[in-house]
Amino acid sequence: MLQEFFRASPDGGGHIDTPISPTPSTVRESVDLRQSLRLMAQAHGPSLQRLGIRLELSLPDEPLRVFAAPADLLNLLGHIVGMAGGALPGGYALQVLARVDGQQAVINWRDIGDEAPRLALAFENVGRPISARALTCQAIAARYGARIYAAPSPLGDRSLTLRFPLHGRP
């Protein structure tokens, strides 16, 4: 199942291929985002490493439960990592911080390298159109009442932020 959602390019080249799911999965359940992020790291960590990009994943001890289709979450995470693989040069680190903020599960992404952060720029539409892949990410997030946008985070300025409503919280 993992390979269905996360595929590295067969030639080991400079991009990570994640298929765009034309129809959303309809089976929603309570999903711990920590598990989805671990699967993402297992599937994409080696591809990022081959590109010279170090993945740094920081997960909380407490569950980050959201109500969503697991396949959609994996697709969304795959698109974000695929965008990072295409935008970041070797020698960069991709930091991923998952946390609880009030009634929301939050995932912050920030690339660290010699230049200004690049990943968050893909989600800003100031003076240019947003890519199809970024629009796909926004559409998947919106299915679950989530938002994805560029903003400062605990990782620093120009982070990519993904916010989901927590499931099962009073």
Side-chain angles (χ1 to χ4, degrees):
M1 176 175 169
L2 194 66
Q3 286 141 348
E4 179 181 340
F5 299 105
F6 294 124
R7 296 182 310 182
S9 62
D11 62 358
H15 74 280
I16 297 172
D17 179 32
T18 302
I20 293 176
S21 178
T23 55
S25 176
T26 58
V27 180
R28 296 180 183 205
E29 59 187 75
S30 181
V31 178
D32 187 348
L33 282 176
R34 297 176 309 165
Q35 182 61 22
S36 298
L37 287 164
R38 286 184 190 111
L39 290 172
M40 176 215 58
Q42 285 178 332
H44 286 300
S47 296
L48 289 171
Q49 189 173 21
R50 279 192 299 279
L51 295 171
I53 301 167
R54 190 176 66 255
L55 179 63
E56 299 174 358
L57 184 61
S58 179
L59 302 174
D61 292 333
E62 64 188 282
L64 294 172
R65 295 226 165 259
V66 299
F67 194 67
D72 273 354
L73 291 178
L74 294 175
N75 199 14
L76 173 60
L77 297 175
H79 281 300
I80 295 169
V81 173
M83 291 175 72
L88 306 181
Y92 268 58
L94 178 59
Q95 296 178 325
V96 182
L97 170 66
R99 61 193 174 89
V100 171
D101 183 17
Q103 297 299 309
Q104 296 180 325
V106 179
I107 304 171
N108 299 115
W109 308 73
R110 187 160 192 274
D111 50 285
I112 305 295
D114 295 337
E115 300 174 23
R118 297 174 179 213
L119 180 59
L121 289 175
F123 288 84
E124 294 178 348
N125 63 349
V126 179
R128 61 183 171 73
I130 295 178
S131 74
R133 199 169 216 178
L135 290 172
T136 298
C137 291
Q138 289 174 341
I140 294 170
R143 288 178 200 153
Y144 305 104
R147 296 179 300 136
I148 187 167
Y149 56 93
S153 79
L155 296 175
D157 291 340
R158 283 228 161 118
S159 295
L160 181 62
T161 298
L162 177 58
R163 289 183 174 270
F164 284 90
L166 281 169
H167 179 67
R169 280 268 175 110

